[in-house]
Amino acid sequence: MRPSGRKLVELRPISIETGIMAHAEGSCLIRMGNTHVLCSASIEEKPPAFLRGTGQGWVTAEYGMLPRATHSRNRREAAAGKQSGRTQEIQRLIGRSLRAGVDRLALGERQIVIDCDVIQADGGTRCAAITGGWVALRLAVNKLLAARLVTSDPILDHVAAVSCGIYAGQPVLDLDYAEDSEAGTDGNFVMTGAGRLVEVQMSAEGSAFSRAEMVALLDLAEAGVAQLVEAQKAAVS
């Protein structure tokens, strides 16, 4: 029995509310159970310096967690004067993941910055940020298309992410914190709407995992991402 009472193959309740931020070109609040992440997309009409003159655009991300997103207060990283290694790793993952679904030539020489701010954390914040970040990106690109600032849609496919792990000896989908903190194996799977893998992060927290267990988690991830893609479609329709 999972602590939440969910079935092994069951996602947490998911909702994606769009138009949360009045001034952002695209925004949403994604809720996956008790993990809530505010995602926004900002269009900058110039690319990073290393892409000037190439005709290509760029998608990047910034990630942060509010001080009381967790059970105890975390000091703001701005007050500490630097980002933690964890924050840097997560925001690079979000940027890489979202770029996998974008034709950067079709985007043209501009940059879209995805900001992901965790309001409440209960496991899977990076996965929620990627899934919600894609919705914010899609809405921002829709505005470029409506204004005829791009001639073809630079979004190639959906991108979404979900966690899976071995909990109490069983492969389970979409770990919450109670499961994540006790899981023998923990994995994050980033996939496209077509089911292609963008990135897989897996590690054994206890005993090593088998090939069969890895395949079982991949199967769960495919099913979970398919459901998340449907939620994305509903949010941007």
Side-chain angles (χ1 to χ4, degrees):
M1 178 67 70
R2 303 179 72 173
S4 63
R6 285 183 288 146
K7 297 176 182 178
L8 301 180
V9 297
E10 186 178 352
L11 287 173
R12 290 173 288 180
I14 179 170
S15 69
I16 306 175
E17 182 181 355
T18 60
I20 293 296
M21 303 180 73
H23 304 297
E25 282 77 25
S27 67
C28 75
L29 175 61
I30 180 168
R31 297 181 178 93
M32 295 187 67
N34 288 323
T35 289
H36 304 167
V37 184
L38 179 63
C39 303
S40 65
S42 302
I43 300 172
E44 299 177 353
E45 287 298 331
K46 60 180 181 180
F50 70 91
L51 285 176
R52 289 175 190 163
T54 66
Q56 297 183 72
W58 192 247
V59 176
T60 190
E62 294 188 11
Y63 169 96
M65 189 175 290
L66 296 185
R68 280 316 304 267
T70 54
H71 293 290
S72 59
R73 185 181 187 275
N74 292 310
R75 188 183 183 195
R76 294 182 189 272
E77 292 184 338
K82 64 177 181 179
Q83 289 182 316
S84 69
R86 176 183 182 274
T87 294
Q88 293 180 52
E89 183 264 324
I90 291 175
Q91 63 189 25
R92 288 169 183 160
L93 168 66
I94 297 167
R96 286 195 306 272
S97 299
L98 296 178
R99 286 194 296 273
V102 173
D103 180 341
R104 295 195 291 116
L105 278 173
L107 182 60
E109 287 197 24
R110 57 176 54 84
Q111 176 169 254
I112 301 180
V113 181
I114 308 298
D115 286 293
C116 302
D117 293 287
V118 179
I119 299 172
Q120 185 168 283
D122 186 36
T125 61
R126 69 187 67 195
C127 294
I130 291 167
T131 303
W134 184 91
V135 171
L137 175 63
R138 172 75 271 178
L139 294 172
V141 168
N142 286 350
K143 291 192 174 181
L144 290 175
L145 288 165
R148 298 186 178 181
L149 294 174
V150 292
T151 57
S152 61
D153 189 356
I155 302 291
L156 299 171
D157 201 352
H158 289 254
V159 175
V162 72
S163 64
C164 300
I166 307 295
Y167 174 78
Q170 295 285 335
V172 298
L173 175 65
D174 190 19
L175 303 174
D176 56 27
Y177 179 77
E179 295 168 331
D180 186 37
S181 61
E182 298 290 335
T185 298
D186 180 21
N188 298 302
F189 298 80
V190 186
M191 304 177 74
T192 67
R196 296 181 66 82
L197 290 166
V198 176
E199 187 154 341
V200 176
Q201 300 176 328
M202 285 190 68
S203 60
E205 301 294 339
S207 60
F209 55 88
S210 67
R211 180 186 179 92
E213 287 173 325
M214 182 177 69
V215 172
L217 294 181
L218 177 57
D219 289 343
L220 282 178
E222 286 181 341
V225 166
Q227 294 176 63
L228 294 173
V229 167
E230 290 304 312
Q232 290 176 328
K233 290 178 179 178
V236 301
S237 63

